[in-house]
Amino acid sequence: MTRLLESYVAGRWWATSDEGTPLPDAVTGETVARIGSRGLDVGAMVDHARTVGGPALRELTFHQRAALLKAVGLHLMGRKDEFSALSHRTGATDRDNLVDIDGGFGTLLSYASTGRRELPDDVLVLDGLPTPLGRGGTFLGQHVYTSLTGVAVQINAFNFPVWGMLEKLAPAFLAGMPTIVKPASQTAYLTESVFRAMVGTGLLPEGSVQLLAGSASGLLDALDGQDLVGFTGSASTAALLRSHPAVTERAVRFNAEADSLNCSVLGADAGPGTPEFDLFVDGVVTEMTVKAGQKCTAIRRAIVPRQHADAVVDALRAKLEEVVVGAPGADGVTMGALASQDQREEVLRAVDRLRTHADLVVGDPGRFEVVGADRERGAFLPPMLLRCDDPAAPEPHDVEAFGPVSTVLPYDGLADAVALARRGQGSLVASLVTHDPAVAREFVLGAGSAHGRVHVLDRDDAAESTGHGSPLPVLVHGGPGRAGGGEELGGVRGVLHHMQRTAVQGSPDVLTGVGRRWVTGAARTDDGVHPFRKSLAELRIGDSVTAGPREITLEDIEHFAEFTGDTFYAHMDEEAAAANPLFGGRVAHGYLIVSWAAGLFVDPDPGPVLANYGVDALRFLTPVKPGEQVTVTLTCKQITPRGGADHGEVRWDAVVVDSEGRPVATYDVLTMVAKTWPPAS
């Protein structure tokens, strides 16, 4: 009997009590595996995630979670060849696998990097700076992010069985939220294979990931306001899930990424013979043929200047006629099969609707060659290009053929192009191919609110561009309106989406204790030991030193001006400086004040402070005139160890005041400090 896919429930593999439903090979029609979930206790999965997986994850810091993601990602990368071979049975070519498999593993590694670089070695994230809530500075507010105590349920589409799982899992895991993975059945055998490899590493905390292979009936019934659902698929299914009582009554967070009618717009400046024209044609062909056009981000509408429409169609025809359809891995094949014969029939029905007001100019679904496979047994289609000379017709903007299909639409003027781009009622991505920055600005202003991403392509960025249809882990992925109205990925934004933002109100000492970042007004500690003599093991937030005063003389100002070449009139011309209402006479350079402040607080001898690598938020607040004195107070503000390194980052609060105690300059000093001193051998 064909292999029966298993779910991973509460730390063990579980099989359905019936024979399951057969899953066909997209190329041969043979049964690859069977899938079912009869008898599965979805409530037990949710409970296990909440009571075992969540607490285990929340014990780890962001850096520790990031290290686990990296280890798992590297392990999966080492096995990608076996996953790619299995992926061929979904109809995917090796080029398609670069997007799904390599892209999924790369997303894990990208989020691992984000966790180490942009999140603290803590379990709490500070959102911005404290906000004063009173005049005396003793009552403030601080927004913080903490982990939700529920479970992230992901419900995925068939087209990306690997990337679809990992792009949702990575930010949830990093946020401290366990995940239940519900893959689409058609390609679940590939998802299950990669999932087995993940849990087989033994690296992931118990309960942090579970797999539901088969029907998810009853799963949403078990969710509440601490849980999150991430859905990718059709707009109709998204609407059905959005109306579930868990979402409407219990405030379960719901994020949808739905199929959308994405477009690519050719600028009027990008006619035949320009590099941009060729880039446009290549981009449309790529999006029609990668994954056989089964991408939520694929270009469904090619919007071109009316005067270039014939040239665009001719150029696309020439490129599309070079596409070789057939079995993935067969010699010369550049486009594989759709995921299933049912999917193929659905695409053909959509094409029939599109042909109401459009002509099929490339590709005959009844006559095309298939290399290395039987056309009747596999889910094959040729790339099909339509042309609609009446862009006001509704079908191109309403009907999506989720396959290798695109429609060329002419426009008259940029305003018309913007209007047509918006006719899709919201999309994941729009491309604009132009070499004119003014055109790009007008398009973004006009069409940006209707698209989650605007990809502007020209000869300058083409070599590094990742392409129209490639979501990037560091940028937000999602779109308004028809595209689902949600957001995924986006680096730290994707992590914070899985956390709760809370406004904490309290005194400076309380906010310092909660956030582990010193807040102005909180207690300082001066124990007689210069903070620069303390290693990370000895240093504490609030450790402080006050140094000075030092008098600023006119000779100092003139020497600094001559030495640096900064002879700005406010420092060197008494008459002109006196006429300046901000100064009323010559003043010291701001950078002279900061330089002298460093001279006051720095301990010169070798010690645990290894390097100063910058300042943040430098502000000059009060002019300093010759004859005045300055004093500086340096306070340990934040300590960030670096996992695996023998040093970490220390952020210091620096305040320079004048003789009357008025702040002259404020800034943060950034240093690298050894974890121990003397260093361990």
Side-chain angles (χ1 to χ4, degrees):
M1 180 177 173
T2 309
R3 185 169 75 90
L4 185 65
L5 299 186
E6 294 181 316
S7 296
Y8 188 69
V9 181
R12 65 183 181 88
W13 289 99
W14 177 95
T16 181
S17 58
D18 59 14
E19 294 184 352
T21 302
L23 302 177
D25 186 309
V27 177
T28 66
E30 299 172 350
T31 298
V32 180
R34 305 180 75 87
I35 190 169
S37 57
R38 175 181 289 183
L40 178 60
D41 187 347
V42 293
M45 296 183 75
V46 173
D47 183 68
H48 188 69
R50 288 175 178 160
T51 60
V52 178
L57 274 178
R58 293 193 296 274
E59 286 183 358
L60 305 175
T61 68
F62 294 108
H63 289 193
Q64 290 171 323
R65 297 169 203 158
L68 292 178
L69 286 182
K70 180 179 180 180
V72 171
L74 292 175
H75 175 80
L76 295 177
M77 288 288 284
R79 297 180 58 178
K80 66 180 181 179
D81 287 347
E82 65 180 271
F83 302 135
S84 294
L86 182 59
S87 181
H88 287 168
R89 306 197 72 173
T90 72
T93 65
D94 288 336
R95 181 179 67 161
D96 300 335
N97 290 335
L98 290 174
V99 182
D100 184 29
I101 296 175
D102 292 64
F105 300 164
T107 296
L108 282 186
L109 297 176
S110 177
Y111 266 97
S113 178
T114 293
R116 294 193 309 274
R117 291 184 294 103
E118 301 184 44
L119 291 169
D121 192 19
D122 199 351
V123 295
L124 172 148
V125 179
L126 299 175
D127 179 20
L129 298 174
T131 299
L133 302 176
R135 293 183 178 181
T138 62
F139 185 50
L140 305 96
Q142 172 70 64
H143 288 94
V144 303
Y145 283 95
T146 57
S147 298
L148 294 170
T149 58
V151 58
V153 173
Q154 53 168 268
I155 303 172
N156 295 322
F158 66 84
N159 51 334
F160 285 100
V162 179
W163 179 83
M165 169 176 64
L166 299 180
E167 63 101 7
K168 293 184 179 70
L169 187 151
F173 188 93
L174 203 52
M177 202 171 192
T179 293
I180 294 175
V181 179
K182 165 60 181 80
S185 291
Q186 295 103 306
T187 53
Y189 51 87
L190 178 56
T191 307
E192 190 229 38
S193 179
V194 175
F195 190 96
R196 280 186 181 274
M198 283 198 304
V199 298
T201 64
L203 295 169
L204 302 179
E206 170 63 33
S208 61
V209 292
Q210 297 179 85
L211 176 70
L212 198 168
S215 170
S217 177
L219 180 56
L220 266 64
D221 295 329
L223 304 183
D224 63 27
Q226 286 291 304
D227 303 314
L228 182 148
V229 174
F231 169 77
T232 301
S234 70
S236 59
T237 304
L240 183 65
L241 294 174
R242 204 188 300 272
S243 65
H244 191 280
V247 179
T248 60
E249 299 173 14
R250 299 194 294 278
V252 169
R253 300 185 185 196
F254 182 78
N255 188 83
E257 179 205 315
D259 307 337
S260 60
L261 289 160
N262 313 288
C263 65
S264 182
V265 177
L266 180 67
D269 61 300
T274 66
E276 285 70 33
F277 183 88
D278 295 336
L279 290 169
F280 176 85
V281 171
D282 288 345
V284 172
V285 170
T286 295
E287 292 304 314
M288 289 179 67
T289 56
V290 170
K291 296 290 289 185
Q294 299 169 115
K295 294 173 61 181
C296 299
T297 53
I299 295 170
R300 306 300 179 194
R301 300 174 298 152
I303 301 172
V304 304
R306 191 175 296 275
Q307 65 270 27
H308 299 322
D310 289 341
V312 168
V313 170
D314 289 343
L316 288 172
R317 178 184 291 109
K319 288 279 187 180
L320 292 171
E321 287 177 349
E322 296 175 357
V323 174
V324 178
V325 179
D331 288 343
V333 168
T334 56
M335 189 178 91
L338 278 72
S340 67
Q341 293 200 12
D342 288 344
Q343 181 64 22
R344 180 184 65 182
E345 296 308 311
E346 183 176 320
V347 170
L348 289 175
R349 287 192 294 271
V351 170
D352 285 342
R353 292 179 62 192
L354 288 170
R355 295 179 73 173
T356 303
H357 290 97
D359 297 321
L360 185 64
V361 294
V362 178
D364 183 344
R367 297 179 59 188
F368 65 99
E369 296 295 325
V370 172
V371 174
D374 186 332
R375 193 177 78 181
E376 301 305 318
R377 293 178 62 85
F380 296 101
L381 279 177
M384 291 176 282
L385 182 71
L386 296 100
R387 175 172 178 168
C388 178
D389 287 326
D390 177 12
E395 290 83 7
H397 311 290
D398 295 338
V399 178
E400 179 175 27
F402 201 72
V405 182
S406 189
T407 302
V408 175
L409 298 159
Y411 72 83
D412 300 293
L414 186 55
D416 188 29
V418 168
L420 291 175
R422 298 185 67 91
R423 283 281 304 276
Q425 305 168 57
S427 83
L428 296 171
V429 55
S431 277
L432 173 66
V433 187
T434 180
H435 195 49
D436 187 338
V439 170
R441 175 178 169 81
E442 186 173 346
F443 183 84
V444 169
L445 289 174
S449 64
H451 306 284
R453 178 163 53 93
V454 176
H455 173 240
V456 183
L457 183 64
D458 69 1
R459 67 195 71 178
D460 294 335
D461 66 4
E464 292 188 342
S465 169
T466 51
H468 165 99
S470 298
L472 298 172
V474 295
L475 297 180
V476 168
H477 180 55
R482 178 179 177 137
E487 290 186 347
E488 297 178 18
L489 300 178
V492 169
R493 292 177 182 86
V495 178
L496 300 182
H497 174 71
H498 294 80
M499 305 182 74
Q500 175 63 45
R501 181 166 56 187
T502 302
V504 180
Q505 298 167 288
S507 68
D509 283 327
V510 166
L511 295 189
T512 296
V514 170
R516 295 182 179 176
R517 181 177 68 185
W518 186 82
V519 175
T520 300
R524 293 187 173 99
T525 302
D526 187 349
D527 58 8
V529 179
H530 195 294
F532 278 21
R533 306 311 308 168
K534 298 178 180 181
S535 68
L536 290 191
E538 302 163 314
L539 191 64
R540 297 293 180 266
I541 291 173
D543 282 355
S544 179
V545 63
T546 298
R550 177 166 180 172
E551 183 179 347
I552 308 291
T553 68
L554 188 61
E555 290 75 18
D556 293 327
I557 296 171
E558 291 178 344
H559 175 71
F560 190 83
E562 179 182 358
F563 187 72
T564 63
D566 181 356
T567 56
F568 184 62
Y569 77 87
H571 313 306
M572 301 300 291
D573 187 330
E574 181 64 37
E575 182 178 352
N580 187 320
L582 296 177
F583 301 132
R586 294 172 71 177
V587 297
H589 304 69
Y591 295 113
L592 168 60
I593 303 300
V594 171
S595 299
W596 272 10
L600 289 172
F601 67 64
V602 164
D603 185 296
D605 295 329
V609 176
L610 306 175
N612 175 338
Y613 69 95
V615 297
D616 280 350
L618 173 61
R619 294 293 183 270
F620 300 121
L621 304 174
T622 304
V624 178
K625 295 185 177 182
E628 294 186 3
Q629 295 180 331
V630 295
T631 300
V632 60
T633 298
L634 190 75
T635 305
C636 177
K637 187 172 187 176
Q638 195 169 23
I639 302 172
T640 305
R642 290 193 173 187
D646 58 4
H647 61 272
E649 175 190 299
V650 176
R651 180 179 291 266
W652 308 83
D653 178 85
V655 180
V656 184
V657 300
D658 63 15
S659 306
E660 298 181 20
R662 296 174 300 186
V664 170
T666 60
Y667 52 99
D668 286 359
V669 179
L670 307 177
T671 63
M672 287 295 182
V673 178
K675 288 184 176 178
T676 60
W677 192 263
S681 58

mmCIF file of all heavy atoms in Angstrom, residues 70-101:
data_model
loop_
_atom_site.group_PDB
_atom_site.id
_atom_site.type_symbol
_atom_site.label_atom_id
_atom_site.label_comp_id
_atom_site.label_asym_id
_atom_site.label_seq_id
_atom_site.Cartn_x
_atom_site.Cartn_y
_atom_site.Cartn_z
ATOM 1 N N LYS A 70 19.018 28.855 13.052
ATOM 2 C CA LYS A 70 20.192 28.733 12.181
ATOM 3 C C LYS A 70 20.646 27.278 12.072
ATOM 4 O O LYS A 70 20.925 26.786 10.968
ATOM 5 C CB LYS A 70 21.339 29.594 12.721
ATOM 6 C CG LYS A 70 22.601 29.525 11.872
ATOM 7 C CD LYS A 70 23.708 30.414 12.423
ATOM 8 C CE LYS A 70 24.960 30.320 11.559
ATOM 9 N NZ LYS A 70 26.050 31.183 12.087
ATOM 10 N N ALA A 71 20.698 26.585 13.190
ATOM 11 C CA ALA A 71 21.149 25.188 13.170
ATOM 12 C C ALA A 71 20.212 24.321 12.338
ATOM 13 O O ALA A 71 20.657 23.471 11.553
ATOM 14 C CB ALA A 71 21.255 24.657 14.593
ATOM 15 N N VAL A 72 18.908 24.530 12.490
ATOM 16 C CA VAL A 72 17.945 23.757 11.708
ATOM 17 C C VAL A 72 18.050 24.110 10.230
ATOM 18 O O VAL A 72 18.029 23.224 9.362
ATOM 19 C CB VAL A 72 16.506 24.012 12.218
ATOM 20 C CG1 VAL A 72 15.484 23.401 11.272
ATOM 21 C CG2 VAL A 72 16.341 23.427 13.612
ATOM 22 N N GLY A 73 18.179 25.402 9.915
ATOM 23 C CA GLY A 73 18.306 25.820 8.524
ATOM 24 C C GLY A 73 19.514 25.212 7.840
ATOM 25 O O GLY A 73 19.444 24.758 6.694
ATOM 26 N N LEU A 74 20.649 25.183 8.534
ATOM 27 C CA LEU A 74 21.865 24.600 7.956
ATOM 28 C C LEU A 74 21.704 23.094 7.751
ATOM 29 O O LEU A 74 22.183 22.540 6.750
ATOM 30 C CB LEU A 74 23.065 24.899 8.861
ATOM 31 C CG LEU A 74 23.489 26.375 8.939
ATOM 32 C CD1 LEU A 74 24.602 26.558 9.964
ATOM 33 C CD2 LEU A 74 23.949 26.877 7.565
ATOM 34 N N HIS A 75 21.039 22.437 8.683
ATOM 35 C CA HIS A 75 20.795 20.994 8.534
ATOM 36 C C HIS A 75 19.930 20.719 7.307
ATOM 37 O O HIS A 75 20.225 19.805 6.516
ATOM 38 C CB HIS A 75 20.119 20.444 9.792
ATOM 39 C CG HIS A 75 19.725 19.011 9.682
ATOM 40 N ND1 HIS A 75 20.616 17.970 9.850
ATOM 41 C CD2 HIS A 75 18.515 18.428 9.398
ATOM 42 C CE1 HIS A 75 19.991 16.815 9.678
ATOM 43 N NE2 HIS A 75 18.710 17.063 9.415
ATOM 44 N N LEU A 76 18.880 21.496 7.131
ATOM 45 C CA LEU A 76 17.994 21.291 5.986
ATOM 46 C C LEU A 76 18.721 21.576 4.674
ATOM 47 O O LEU A 76 18.502 20.879 3.673
ATOM 48 C CB LEU A 76 16.762 22.176 6.121
ATOM 49 C CG LEU A 76 15.819 21.868 7.291
ATOM 50 C CD1 LEU A 76 14.673 22.870 7.336
ATOM 51 C CD2 LEU A 76 15.279 20.447 7.198
ATOM 52 N N MET A 77 19.565 22.603 4.664
ATOM 53 C CA MET A 77 20.323 22.919 3.444
ATOM 54 C C MET A 77 21.167 21.726 3.006
ATOM 55 O O MET A 77 21.320 21.463 1.810
ATOM 56 C CB MET A 77 21.224 24.134 3.684
ATOM 57 C CG MET A 77 20.496 25.458 3.785
ATOM 58 S SD MET A 77 19.841 26.045 2.199
ATOM 59 C CE MET A 77 21.336 26.639 1.436
ATOM 60 N N GLY A 78 21.680 20.972 3.972
ATOM 61 C CA GLY A 78 22.506 19.814 3.648
ATOM 62 C C GLY A 78 21.724 18.660 3.046
ATOM 63 O O GLY A 78 22.323 17.729 2.495
ATOM 64 N N ARG A 79 20.389 18.721 3.111
ATOM 65 C CA ARG A 79 19.562 17.633 2.585
ATOM 66 C C ARG A 79 18.667 18.087 1.431
ATOM 67 O O ARG A 79 17.721 17.387 1.061
ATOM 68 C CB ARG A 79 18.703 17.057 3.711
ATOM 69 C CG ARG A 79 19.510 16.423 4.844
ATOM 70 C CD ARG A 79 18.617 15.853 5.936
ATOM 71 N NE ARG A 79 17.689 14.853 5.440
ATOM 72 C CZ ARG A 79 16.823 14.188 6.208
ATOM 73 N NH1 ARG A 79 16.789 14.427 7.510
ATOM 74 N NH2 ARG A 79 15.992 13.309 5.692
ATOM 75 N N LYS A 80 18.954 19.249 0.859
ATOM 76 C CA LYS A 80 18.028 19.810 -0.125
ATOM 77 C C LYS A 80 17.924 18.976 -1.392
ATOM 78 O O LYS A 80 16.881 18.996 -2.067
ATOM 79 C CB LYS A 80 18.408 21.251 -0.467
ATOM 80 C CG LYS A 80 19.720 21.432 -1.190
ATOM 81 C CD LYS A 80 19.958 22.910 -1.472
ATOM 82 C CE LYS A 80 21.253 23.125 -2.229
ATOM 83 N NZ LYS A 80 21.478 24.565 -2.525
ATOM 84 N N ASP A 81 18.953 18.211 -1.731
ATOM 85 C CA ASP A 81 18.883 17.394 -2.945
ATOM 86 C C ASP A 81 17.771 16.348 -2.850
ATOM 87 O O ASP A 81 17.044 16.107 -3.822
ATOM 88 C CB ASP A 81 20.228 16.713 -3.210
ATOM 89 C CG ASP A 81 21.283 17.687 -3.713
ATOM 90 O OD1 ASP A 81 20.906 18.820 -4.083
ATOM 91 O OD2 ASP A 81 22.470 17.324 -3.716
ATOM 92 N N GLU A 82 17.630 15.710 -1.690
ATOM 93 C CA GLU A 82 16.576 14.694 -1.555
ATOM 94 C C GLU A 82 15.190 15.344 -1.572
ATOM 95 O O GLU A 82 14.238 14.776 -2.124
ATOM 96 C CB GLU A 82 16.764 13.880 -0.274
ATOM 97 C CG GLU A 82 16.604 14.648 1.011
ATOM 98 C CD GLU A 82 16.815 13.764 2.232
ATOM 99 O OE1 GLU A 82 15.822 13.156 2.699
ATOM 100 O OE2 GLU A 82 17.968 13.700 2.732
ATOM 101 N N PHE A 83 15.081 16.532 -1.014
ATOM 102 C CA PHE A 83 13.802 17.234 -1.059
ATOM 103 C C PHE A 83 13.474 17.678 -2.477
ATOM 104 O O PHE A 83 12.314 17.640 -2.902
ATOM 105 C CB PHE A 83 13.818 18.438 -0.123
ATOM 106 C CG PHE A 83 14.110 18.107 1.315
ATOM 107 C CD1 PHE A 83 15.014 18.861 2.057
ATOM 108 C CD2 PHE A 83 13.489 17.040 1.941
ATOM 109 C CE1 PHE A 83 15.282 18.561 3.370
ATOM 110 C CE2 PHE A 83 13.753 16.718 3.263
ATOM 111 C CZ PHE A 83 14.665 17.491 3.980
ATOM 112 N N SER A 84 14.480 18.092 -3.222
ATOM 113 C CA SER A 84 14.264 18.524 -4.610
ATOM 114 C C SER A 84 13.782 17.370 -5.469
ATOM 115 O O SER A 84 12.907 17.543 -6.328
ATOM 116 C CB SER A 84 15.558 19.116 -5.180
ATOM 117 O OG SER A 84 15.909 20.313 -4.513
ATOM 118 N N ALA A 85 14.335 16.185 -5.250
ATOM 119 C CA ALA A 85 13.905 15.024 -6.029
ATOM 120 C C ALA A 85 12.435 14.710 -5.759
ATOM 121 O O ALA A 85 11.665 14.403 -6.684
ATOM 122 C CB ALA A 85 14.784 13.820 -5.682
ATOM 123 N N LEU A 86 12.024 14.795 -4.493
ATOM 124 C CA LEU A 86 10.617 14.558 -4.160
ATOM 125 C C LEU A 86 9.734 15.675 -4.722
ATOM 126 O O LEU A 86 8.604 15.430 -5.169
ATOM 127 C CB LEU A 86 10.455 14.463 -2.648
ATOM 128 C CG LEU A 86 9.047 14.164 -2.118
ATOM 129 C CD1 LEU A 86 8.523 12.837 -2.673
ATOM 130 C CD2 LEU A 86 9.041 14.148 -0.593
ATOM 131 N N SER A 87 10.261 16.881 -4.731
ATOM 132 C CA SER A 87 9.495 18.026 -5.221
ATOM 133 C C SER A 87 9.162 17.897 -6.705
ATOM 134 O O SER A 87 8.160 18.457 -7.170
ATOM 135 C CB SER A 87 10.269 19.321 -4.968
ATOM 136 O OG SER A 87 9.549 20.439 -5.398
ATOM 137 N N HIS A 88 9.976 17.178 -7.481
ATOM 138 C CA HIS A 88 9.667 16.952 -8.896
ATOM 139 C C HIS A 88 8.278 16.339 -9.065
ATOM 140 O O HIS A 88 7.598 16.588 -10.071
ATOM 141 C CB HIS A 88 10.714 16.029 -9.523
ATOM 142 C CG HIS A 88 12.039 16.694 -9.741
ATOM 143 N ND1 HIS A 88 13.180 15.990 -10.065
ATOM 144 C CD2 HIS A 88 12.416 17.999 -9.703
ATOM 145 C CE1 HIS A 88 14.198 16.818 -10.199
ATOM 146 N NE2 HIS A 88 13.750 18.048 -9.983
ATOM 147 N N ARG A 89 7.853 15.559 -8.080
ATOM 148 C CA ARG A 89 6.555 14.892 -8.192
ATOM 149 C C ARG A 89 5.390 15.875 -8.022
ATOM 150 O O ARG A 89 4.254 15.560 -8.363
ATOM 151 C CB ARG A 89 6.461 13.750 -7.177
ATOM 152 C CG ARG A 89 7.636 12.757 -7.280
ATOM 153 C CD ARG A 89 7.354 11.455 -6.601
ATOM 154 N NE ARG A 89 6.393 10.648 -7.340
ATOM 155 C CZ ARG A 89 6.069 9.398 -7.031
ATOM 156 N NH1 ARG A 89 6.639 8.805 -5.985
ATOM 157 N NH2 ARG A 89 5.175 8.732 -7.742
ATOM 158 N N THR A 90 5.688 17.077 -7.493
ATOM 159 C CA THR A 90 4.666 18.121 -7.420
ATOM 160 C C THR A 90 4.560 18.901 -8.731
ATOM 161 O O THR A 90 3.728 19.802 -8.842
ATOM 162 C CB THR A 90 4.972 19.116 -6.286
ATOM 163 O OG1 THR A 90 6.094 19.941 -6.658
ATOM 164 C CG2 THR A 90 5.266 18.395 -4.979
ATOM 165 N N GLY A 91 5.438 18.566 -9.696
ATOM 166 C CA GLY A 91 5.473 19.283 -10.962
ATOM 167 C C GLY A 91 6.537 20.353 -11.017
ATOM 168 O O GLY A 91 6.674 21.044 -12.030
ATOM 169 N N ALA A 92 7.303 20.507 -9.947
ATOM 170 C CA ALA A 92 8.288 21.582 -9.855
ATOM 171 C C ALA A 92 9.605 21.196 -10.511
ATOM 172 O O ALA A 92 10.104 20.080 -10.326
ATOM 173 C CB ALA A 92 8.526 21.945 -8.396
ATOM 174 N N THR A 93 10.179 22.135 -11.255
ATOM 175 C CA THR A 93 11.499 21.950 -11.844
ATOM 176 C C THR A 93 12.568 22.353 -10.834
ATOM 177 O O THR A 93 12.268 22.884 -9.762
ATOM 178 C CB THR A 93 11.660 22.813 -13.108
ATOM 179 O OG1 THR A 93 11.610 24.200 -12.718
ATOM 180 C CG2 THR A 93 10.553 22.530 -14.111
ATOM 181 N N ASP A 94 13.830 22.133 -11.191
ATOM 182 C CA ASP A 94 14.916 22.555 -10.306
ATOM 183 C C ASP A 94 14.906 24.069 -10.121
ATOM 184 O O ASP A 94 15.227 24.568 -9.036
ATOM 185 C CB ASP A 94 16.267 22.090 -10.859
ATOM 186 C CG ASP A 94 16.447 20.587 -10.730
ATOM 187 O OD1 ASP A 94 15.796 19.981 -9.855
ATOM 188 O OD2 ASP A 94 17.244 20.014 -11.501
ATOM 189 N N ARG A 95 14.546 24.814 -11.157
ATOM 190 C CA ARG A 95 14.441 26.274 -11.012
ATOM 191 C C ARG A 95 13.337 26.627 -10.022
ATOM 192 O O ARG A 95 13.490 27.526 -9.187
ATOM 193 C CB ARG A 95 14.175 26.933 -12.362
ATOM 194 C CG ARG A 95 14.081 28.456 -12.275
ATOM 195 C CD ARG A 95 13.845 29.119 -13.608
ATOM 196 N NE ARG A 95 12.533 28.811 -14.178
ATOM 197 C CZ ARG A 95 11.956 29.539 -15.133
ATOM 198 N NH1 ARG A 95 12.573 30.595 -15.635
ATOM 199 N NH2 ARG A 95 10.777 29.195 -15.605
ATOM 200 N N ASP A 96 12.219 25.912 -10.087
ATOM 201 C CA ASP A 96 11.138 26.151 -9.133
ATOM 202 C C ASP A 96 11.591 25.855 -7.701
ATOM 203 O O ASP A 96 11.197 26.545 -6.751
ATOM 204 C CB ASP A 96 9.934 25.267 -9.457
ATOM 205 C CG ASP A 96 9.366 25.522 -10.841
ATOM 206 O OD1 ASP A 96 9.556 26.637 -11.372
ATOM 207 O OD2 ASP A 96 8.741 24.595 -11.398
ATOM 208 N N ASN A 97 12.413 24.818 -7.554
ATOM 209 C CA ASN A 97 12.867 24.437 -6.218
ATOM 210 C C ASN A 97 13.783 25.479 -5.590
ATOM 211 O O ASN A 97 13.878 25.574 -4.364
ATOM 212 C CB ASN A 97 13.580 23.088 -6.272
ATOM 213 C CG ASN A 97 12.615 21.947 -6.559
ATOM 214 O OD1 ASN A 97 11.424 22.047 -6.280
ATOM 215 N ND2 ASN A 97 13.123 20.866 -7.136
ATOM 216 N N LEU A 98 14.458 26.267 -6.433
ATOM 217 C CA LEU A 98 15.261 27.362 -5.887
ATOM 218 C C LEU A 98 14.379 28.349 -5.130
ATOM 219 O O LEU A 98 14.788 28.936 -4.129
ATOM 220 C CB LEU A 98 16.007 28.087 -7.012
ATOM 221 C CG LEU A 98 17.146 27.323 -7.682
ATOM 222 C CD1 LEU A 98 17.685 28.123 -8.860
ATOM 223 C CD2 LEU A 98 18.261 27.046 -6.686
ATOM 224 N N VAL A 99 13.163 28.525 -5.625
ATOM 225 C CA VAL A 99 12.236 29.460 -4.992
ATOM 226 C C VAL A 99 11.615 28.848 -3.744
ATOM 227 O O VAL A 99 11.564 29.478 -2.678
ATOM 228 C CB VAL A 99 11.128 29.879 -5.981
ATOM 229 C CG1 VAL A 99 10.187 30.885 -5.339
ATOM 230 C CG2 VAL A 99 11.736 30.450 -7.261
ATOM 231 N N ASP A 100 11.147 27.619 -3.859
ATOM 232 C CA ASP A 100 10.405 27.000 -2.762
ATOM 233 C C ASP A 100 11.330 26.417 -1.701
ATOM 234 O O ASP A 100 11.228 26.764 -0.518
ATOM 235 C CB ASP A 100 9.494 25.906 -3.322
ATOM 236 C CG ASP A 100 8.613 25.270 -2.250
ATOM 237 O OD1 ASP A 100 8.283 25.963 -1.279
ATOM 238 O OD2 ASP A 100 8.258 24.087 -2.402
ATOM 239 N N ILE A 101 12.237 25.542 -2.100
ATOM 240 C CA ILE A 101 13.070 24.828 -1.128
ATOM 241 C C ILE A 101 14.230 25.694 -0.649
ATOM 242 O O ILE A 101 14.366 25.963 0.550
ATOM 243 C CB ILE A 101 13.560 23.499 -1.728
ATOM 244 C CG1 ILE A 101 12.355 22.594 -2.003
ATOM 245 C CG2 ILE A 101 14.545 22.820 -0.795
ATOM 246 C CD1 ILE A 101 12.693 21.296 -2.707
#
